[in-house]
Amino acid sequence: MGLGILEVKTLERVPGTEYLTKGAESSELHQEDVPQGVHFKYDTSGATPIKLIPQPTDDPNDPLNWSIWKRDGITLVLCLVSIMAGTLGPILAPITLTLAFGNSWPLTDVALLTGYHLCGVGVAGFFFVPTARVWGKRHIYVLGTILLIVSSVWAGQAKSYKSLLWARIIQGVAVAPFESLVNTSIADLYCVHQRGIRMAFSNFSLYGGAFLTPVIVGKMTFDMHSWRWCFHFVAIFTAILLPFVIMFVPETAYRRNDTTDLAYTEDGQASRNSDASTGHCPIPIELETRGTNTSPSNSKGDIAMEGRYQKVSWMQSMALFNGRKTDETLWKLAVRPLPLLMQPAILWGMITQGALIGWTVMIGVVIASVFMQPPYGFSEVKTGYMYGGAFIGALIGFALSGWLADWSSKFMTRKNGGVYEPEFRIFLVIPQFILGVIGLFGFGITSGNPSKYNYMWPCFFFGIEVMGMVLGATGSALYLVDAHKDIAIESFTALLLFKNFFSFALTFKAFDWLNILGAWKIFWIVGVIQIVIGLTSIPMYIYGKRNRNFFHKHSIFKLLGLDK
């Protein structure tokens, strides 16, 4: 049993379990699994060589072989657009009462402008994600960016509630690619040990940047005497980013035959790299040869050798489509996220990530309702400033999750004899559990008694809750990518559906619950729910490896005829 993780009952390789150091590869289990003459590529930049997972091919068009600067540049552009996409969720938060009283709209109707936006994100995921699986992600990123611009201009010019509502729904459609696909692009671009800080940054861009939006929107609305410029500025900045998306974000999906662990082809044979010293590897490499048969001419698998591939030009990489990435049927891919609700790991990821995101919707309702009325009587500006604590919390959460994600997995891998288990990523749920629960209870107590507590206390506890949210979002995303790489896109679609439809449902009743129960009772209930959710991580950590093995042998998709 590796660090509390229960082993499978038979000696066999479990998808997701990786042997990252040379010492680990001397195990009896690994020796039996590795065919003769297999070459492995390693990251030798540190004191201990780390095997590259997944193993890069010798194809210069393989994203894992691109320079680290190119890959980080792609990630940066996607994260910048994600920031603009993320702003649209809470963009109306500080001006809820302004819209309601200024247009004689019911508060619930104003809340539903955000609710239906989230619904648009969820519904669009059903269409975009399977399309990305079949034809790649580039065309969806370009389309999403264009839709962000068009829908933001539309929202800024809307003259009626119905027009603004539809603009918000289309904005949700535009946001969907960046909520559902950016993390999977990071999995396309980086090896396992390189993903932590990048995935933390992508989550911070999408969620953390969103909490700075109300601060800016409140000030902008007050100074410009109009909320419309909030949408216009989103359109302007996104339009500036559009050329960068078109020119510097090529297709990251790559059709490879190997799995995430040993570079195996689908028929069970391993690829052989003929010349590692001149191969197109992202970082320095070493070769390890098992057996005596090292000649590439004797390989019966997917033989990768110099001269076999032709590097595409920059102009060719600008094509929106460059071939199918899978032979699977589109409609089957579209419905595949639904049966994943029966997969414990996916269900765990959904509630671990989605619940805290949904609770921020409740917090936004309290801020809009409580702090814009007596005894506080905040203006749009001060209401926006209430999100300052959340932004700082997201920033700290990003720094902590990026550092902890990589440090904890490497530390626990060393303690486990060089064997990496994806369950090590669940370590991040510990600080999420502590911070999330403290933030929810603290916000409920302080916002529920405004005459006793200064407004800074709810602001502080909001930041604590968001800090936990970022840690949990990063940990759950990393776990699903590492443990279930073959269904990563479907997994993120399931997460997308849950967190957006859950948040959408909360907007229907949030103001009613607040009027009936009050802030403290609501967040007492929410805090207890979050404790229960956090405790589910214990069995997930202990039984996660057995769960991976079980669903590898008993695929839900095969059972339902959705595998091909």
Side-chain angles (χ1 to χ4, degrees), residues 39-44 50 52 54-69 71 189 191 194 272-287 304 306:
H39 296 241
F40 292 121
K41 298 180 181 182
Y42 287 83
D43 176 0
T44 59
I50 300 175
L52 303 184
Q55 284 279 289
T57 66
D58 286 338
D59 184 0
N61 303 306
D62 183 346
L64 294 176
N65 289 329
W66 296 342
S67 71
I68 195 67
W69 295 106
R71 288 181 283 162
L189 291 167
C191 297
Q194 300 171 317
R272 296 174 173 84
N273 300 294
S274 61
D275 189 352
S277 63
T278 57
H280 302 277
C281 295
I283 46 185
I285 64 171
E286 285 186 14
L287 282 185
E306 283 295 316

Side-chain angles (χ1 to χ4, degrees), residues 182-249:
V182 173
N183 279 340
T184 60
S185 285
I186 289 176
D188 294 337
L189 291 167
Y190 301 98
C191 297
V192 167
H193 69 288
Q194 300 171 317
R195 293 173 184 166
I197 186 66
R198 276 93 177 182
M199 203 163 285
F201 183 52
S202 71
N203 282 307
F204 169 74
S205 300
L206 188 60
Y207 304 122
F211 294 108
L212 184 61
T213 302
V215 178
I216 299 173
V217 168
K219 180 67 173 174
M220 187 183 299
T221 301
F222 184 82
D223 290 347
M224 295 185 169
H225 305 287
S226 174
W227 52 268
R228 299 181 183 277
W229 268 103
C230 304
F231 291 108
H232 290 158
F233 274 112
V234 171
I236 291 170
F237 288 120
T238 308
I240 293 173
L241 291 171
L242 178 60
F244 290 89
V245 175
I246 294 174
M247 293 188 294
F248 301 114
V249 180

